[in-house]
PDB file of all heavy atoms in Angstrom:
ATOM      1  N   ILE A 977     116.113  84.330  72.345  1.00  0.00           N
ATOM      2  CA  ILE A 977     115.137  84.251  73.434  1.00  0.00           C
ATOM      3  C   ILE A 977     114.528  82.860  73.580  1.00  0.00           C
ATOM      4  O   ILE A 977     113.863  82.576  74.568  1.00  0.00           O
ATOM      5  CB  ILE A 977     114.016  85.316  73.336  1.00  0.00           C
ATOM      6  CG1 ILE A 977     113.293  85.196  72.007  1.00  0.00           C
ATOM      7  CG2 ILE A 977     114.554  86.705  73.560  1.00  0.00           C
ATOM      8  CD1 ILE A 977     112.120  86.149  71.899  1.00  0.00           C
ATOM      9  N   SER A 978     114.800  81.997  72.625  1.00  0.00           N
ATOM     10  CA  SER A 978     114.307  80.620  72.805  1.00  0.00           C
ATOM     11  C   SER A 978     115.085  79.916  73.917  1.00  0.00           C
ATOM     12  O   SER A 978     114.724  78.826  74.352  1.00  0.00           O
ATOM     13  CB  SER A 978     114.416  79.827  71.502  1.00  0.00           C
ATOM     14  OG  SER A 978     115.784  79.615  71.198  1.00  0.00           O
ATOM     15  N   ASN A 979     116.153  80.571  74.407  1.00  0.00           N
ATOM     16  CA  ASN A 979     116.889  80.022  75.559  1.00  0.00           C
ATOM     17  C   ASN A 979     116.197  80.286  76.887  1.00  0.00           C
ATOM     18  O   ASN A 979     116.659  79.815  77.932  1.00  0.00           O
ATOM     19  CB  ASN A 979     118.308  80.634  75.631  1.00  0.00           C
ATOM     20  CG  ASN A 979     119.245  79.967  74.636  1.00  0.00           C
ATOM     21  OD1 ASN A 979     119.065  78.804  74.302  1.00  0.00           O
ATOM     22  ND2 ASN A 979     120.225  80.713  74.153  1.00  0.00           N
ATOM     23  N   ILE A 980     115.124  81.112  76.882  1.00  0.00           N
ATOM     24  CA  ILE A 980     114.396  81.370  78.138  1.00  0.00           C
ATOM     25  C   ILE A 980     113.581  80.125  78.480  1.00  0.00           C
ATOM     26  O   ILE A 980     112.642  79.772  77.768  1.00  0.00           O
ATOM     27  CB  ILE A 980     113.508  82.625  78.021  1.00  0.00           C
ATOM     28  CG1 ILE A 980     114.398  83.866  77.777  1.00  0.00           C
ATOM     29  CG2 ILE A 980     112.655  82.804  79.285  1.00  0.00           C
ATOM     30  CD1 ILE A 980     113.627  85.169  77.548  1.00  0.00           C
ATOM     31  N   LYS A 981     113.973  79.447  79.555  1.00  0.00           N
ATOM     32  CA  LYS A 981     113.403  78.131  79.877  1.00  0.00           C
ATOM     33  C   LYS A 981     112.298  78.196  80.932  1.00  0.00           C
ATOM     34  O   LYS A 981     111.603  77.201  81.157  1.00  0.00           O
ATOM     35  CB  LYS A 981     114.507  77.186  80.395  1.00  0.00           C
ATOM     36  CG  LYS A 981     115.637  76.951  79.390  1.00  0.00           C
ATOM     37  CD  LYS A 981     115.117  76.381  78.085  1.00  0.00           C
ATOM     38  CE  LYS A 981     116.245  76.120  77.094  1.00  0.00           C
ATOM     39  NZ  LYS A 981     115.759  76.075  75.703  1.00  0.00           N
ATOM     40  N   ALA A 982     112.188  79.328  81.637  1.00  0.00           N
ATOM     41  CA  ALA A 982     111.177  79.428  82.685  1.00  0.00           C
ATOM     42  C   ALA A 982     110.979  80.890  83.029  1.00  0.00           C
ATOM     43  O   ALA A 982     111.841  81.735  82.748  1.00  0.00           O
ATOM     44  CB  ALA A 982     111.624  78.663  83.934  1.00  0.00           C
ATOM     45  N   ILE A 983     109.826  81.174  83.657  1.00  0.00           N
ATOM     46  CA  ILE A 983     109.526  82.540  84.084  1.00  0.00           C
ATOM     47  C   ILE A 983     109.026  82.502  85.520  1.00  0.00           C
ATOM     48  O   ILE A 983     108.208  81.648  85.882  1.00  0.00           O
ATOM     49  CB  ILE A 983     108.476  83.177  83.148  1.00  0.00           C
ATOM     50  CG1 ILE A 983     109.133  83.434  81.783  1.00  0.00           C
ATOM     51  CG2 ILE A 983     107.928  84.483  83.722  1.00  0.00           C
ATOM     52  CD1 ILE A 983     108.167  83.814  80.706  1.00  0.00           C
ATOM     53  N   GLY A 984     109.552  83.426  86.329  1.00  0.00           N
ATOM     54  CA  GLY A 984     109.081  83.565  87.711  1.00  0.00           C
ATOM     55  C   GLY A 984     108.296  84.850  87.852  1.00  0.00           C
ATOM     56  O   GLY A 984     108.476  85.787  87.064  1.00  0.00           O
ATOM     57  N   VAL A 985     107.441  84.890  88.859  1.00  0.00           N
ATOM     58  CA  VAL A 985     106.636  86.089  89.113  1.00  0.00           C
ATOM     59  C   VAL A 985     106.860  86.533  90.554  1.00  0.00           C
ATOM     60  O   VAL A 985     106.796  85.712  91.475  1.00  0.00           O
ATOM     61  CB  VAL A 985     105.127  85.799  88.907  1.00  0.00           C
ATOM     62  CG1 VAL A 985     104.276  87.004  89.328  1.00  0.00           C
ATOM     63  CG2 VAL A 985     104.850  85.437  87.448  1.00  0.00           C
ATOM     64  N   SER A 986     107.165  87.806  90.732  1.00  0.00           N
ATOM     65  CA  SER A 986     107.171  88.361  92.086  1.00  0.00           C
ATOM     66  C   SER A 986     106.284  89.594  92.044  1.00  0.00           C
ATOM     67  O   SER A 986     106.139  90.230  91.005  1.00  0.00           O
ATOM     68  CB  SER A 986     108.599  88.674  92.507  1.00  0.00           C
ATOM     69  OG  SER A 986     108.737  90.038  92.725  1.00  0.00           O
ATOM     70  N   ASN A 987     105.651  89.913  93.156  1.00  0.00           N
ATOM     71  CA  ASN A 987     104.590  90.917  93.106  1.00  0.00           C
ATOM     72  C   ASN A 987     104.460  91.705  94.400  1.00  0.00           C
ATOM     73  O   ASN A 987     104.831  91.227  95.465  1.00  0.00           O
ATOM     74  CB  ASN A 987     103.251  90.212  92.847  1.00  0.00           C
ATOM     75  CG  ASN A 987     102.973  89.133  93.894  1.00  0.00           C
ATOM     76  OD1 ASN A 987     103.585  88.072  93.889  1.00  0.00           O
ATOM     77  ND2 ASN A 987     102.070  89.405  94.818  1.00  0.00           N
ATOM     78  N   GLN A 988     103.887  92.930  94.265  1.00  0.00           N
ATOM     79  CA  GLN A 988     103.454  93.681  95.450  1.00  0.00           C
ATOM     80  C   GLN A 988     102.419  92.801  96.151  1.00  0.00           C
ATOM     81  O   GLN A 988     101.548  92.217  95.516  1.00  0.00           O
ATOM     82  CB  GLN A 988     102.852  95.021  95.040  1.00  0.00           C
ATOM     83  CG  GLN A 988     101.781  94.944  93.942  1.00  0.00           C
ATOM     84  CD  GLN A 988     100.989  96.232  93.775  1.00  0.00           C
ATOM     85  OE1 GLN A 988     100.543  96.840  94.734  1.00  0.00           O
ATOM     86  NE2 GLN A 988     100.788  96.636  92.536  1.00  0.00           N
TER      87      GLN A 988
END
Side-chain angles (χ1 to χ4, degrees):
I977 57 176
S978 68
N979 281 331
I980 297 176
K981 300 302 181 202
I983 290 169
V985 173
S986 117
N987 56 287
Q988 50 167 314

